[in-house]
Amino acid sequence: MLTKMNTINSQKVVLCFLGVMLLLINIYGEFNTLRPHEIHESISDPSKFTEKELYYAINNTEGTRRTVVRQLNEIVNKGISHYWDTTDEIKLNLNVPVWENYILYALSFTGDTRFVNYEFANYKKAIERGLGLCSQQSIILSELLLRRNIPAKIIGLDGHVIVSAEVDENMWWILDPNKGVVIPHSINEVEKNPEIIEVYYKNAGYENLQTMISYYGVEGNVHANEYGVIGFTKRKYVIEYVFYIFKWLLPILFVLPAMLLLHRSNRPPATIN
């Protein structure tokens, strides 16, 4: 019986040590940033915003709904670098670092591709990192629009990801934050006649127009039924949200048994009258 109690107590001590280590990792992460400064500077166009400048620009958008939609699309285009070099995952923080979320970090070694070269469902984390593909930029833009009470849905094209925003009652525009393009037509209109988009991408300076036109065909497109990131990747949003709660909850649960054990050991022995 005594041996069993000693084993249990030893396990509690080990869990306590693990909990303390995880708490220290979390605290270190609170003082770190996902944005890879040196790499980000080397891949960014001079017009790109820093994180601070990006938030300043976001908070100072104003005007009609149409104006705000255009402004936010441009801000995301200039503030988030279209860069995804998987040969440099560590420096770019493409895999979630251990100090950011040790659960997501551990899952990147399981072979589950959902956690390798990770795209954030949390738009603030995506902004913090400052780089991503069209899908990451569309997540950011859709969430920024929703926070301005502008309905926005993410649309997965066959080879590209864009945002559809309601700029007026029953009037939807296509936004491409990755290319910095605004198309004042609904996705339904464009799917019927993809050539509509040519002039807008051409005016933005893009030359490979036939490729862009091919993306907008009906085949392979996925229209979200709900707004924002929830409509685009609801399961990922929920999983990520839960893991960010559990990264703090687990170490606390590990430490508590040892704290209770220590408290009991410090209690004075009961006296017998």
Side-chain angles (χ1 to χ4, degrees):
M1 183 67 179
L2 184 59
T3 302
K4 184 177 180 180
M5 288 298 298
N6 288 336
T7 301
I8 293 174
N9 290 339
S10 297
Q11 292 173 346
K12 289 180 179 179
V13 171
V14 171
L15 285 175
C16 180
F17 177 77
L18 178 60
V20 170
M21 293 302 296
L22 292 177
L23 282 172
L24 289 175
I25 289 172
N26 286 344
I27 292 170
Y28 173 77
E30 290 297 305
F31 295 93
N32 215 327
T33 178
L34 282 166
R35 184 163 291 220
H37 294 291
E38 293 148 7
I39 300 295
H40 185 74
E41 290 301 321
S42 68
I43 63 177
S44 293
D45 184 271
S47 65
K48 295 291 183 185
F49 293 145
T50 64
E51 183 180 2
K52 184 177 180 180
E53 290 169 340
L54 191 149
Y55 274 113
Y56 179 83
I58 290 170
N59 293 331
N60 283 277
T61 54
E62 58 183 7
T64 66
R65 182 178 285 193
R66 298 185 186 195
T67 301
V68 170
V69 160
R70 290 184 180 276
Q71 289 175 344
L72 288 176
N73 189 69
E74 181 180 3
I75 288 167
V76 174
N77 174 257
K78 289 184 176 181
I80 306 298
S81 295
H82 180 85
Y83 190 80
W84 203 254
D85 185 357
T86 56
T87 64
D88 214 353
E89 296 169 343
I90 296 177
K91 286 186 178 180
L92 293 178
N93 293 327
L94 298 189
N95 291 347
V96 178
V98 64
W99 44 262
E100 173 60 27
N101 190 304
Y102 57 83
I103 302 174
L104 292 172
Y105 171 79
L107 288 171
S108 68
F109 295 98
T110 63
D112 190 332
T113 56
R114 293 176 300 172
F115 302 102
V116 178
N117 300 324
Y118 189 80
E119 282 197 333
F120 283 102
N122 184 327
Y123 79 99
K124 291 182 179 179
K125 291 295 180 184
I127 288 176
E128 182 183 341
R129 184 164 57 184
L131 51 84
L133 299 179
C134 52
S135 49
Q136 187 72 96
Q137 292 166 315
S138 292
I139 287 172
I140 294 170
L141 178 58
S142 67
E143 292 299 302
L144 291 176
L145 289 169
L146 288 176
R147 277 149 185 78
R148 298 296 296 267
N149 296 316
I150 300 175
K153 296 181 179 181
I154 300 173
I155 299 174
L157 303 178
D158 189 14
H160 196 39
V161 180
I162 56 172
V163 175
S164 178
E166 189 177 34
V167 298
D168 211 336
E169 188 174 357
N170 297 321
M171 180 180 289
W172 293 76
W173 284 4
I174 294 171
L175 312 174
D176 187 345
N178 179 248
K179 306 297 185 184
V181 172
V182 175
I183 303 171
H185 296 277
S186 71
I187 186 63
N188 293 329
E189 291 178 272
V190 171
E191 285 179 336
K192 292 175 183 176
N193 183 17
E195 285 76 17
I196 290 176
I197 63 104
E198 181 175 357
V199 63
Y200 302 103
Y201 283 95
K202 186 176 181 179
N203 290 342
Y206 292 96
E207 298 178 353
N208 197 1
L209 299 176
Q210 288 306 311
T211 299
M212 294 305 304
I213 291 172
S214 69
Y215 289 153
Y216 281 89
V218 177
E219 188 175 349
N221 293 353
V222 178
H223 294 230
N225 294 320
E226 297 181 74
Y227 297 144
V229 66
I230 297 232
F232 182 62
T233 177
K234 186 173 185 177
R235 184 175 181 183
K236 185 174 190 177
Y237 174 83
V238 172
I239 289 173
E240 185 177 296
Y241 180 80
V242 169
F243 284 169
Y244 268 88
I245 292 174
F246 268 76
K247 85 167 194 172
W248 291 102
L249 184 59
L250 282 179
I252 292 172
L253 293 176
F254 288 165
V255 170
L256 276 178
M259 294 295 99
L260 291 173
L261 178 65
L262 181 63
H263 175 71
R264 289 176 182 175
S265 65
N266 289 332
R267 285 165 56 182
T271 58
I272 301 175
N273 295 328

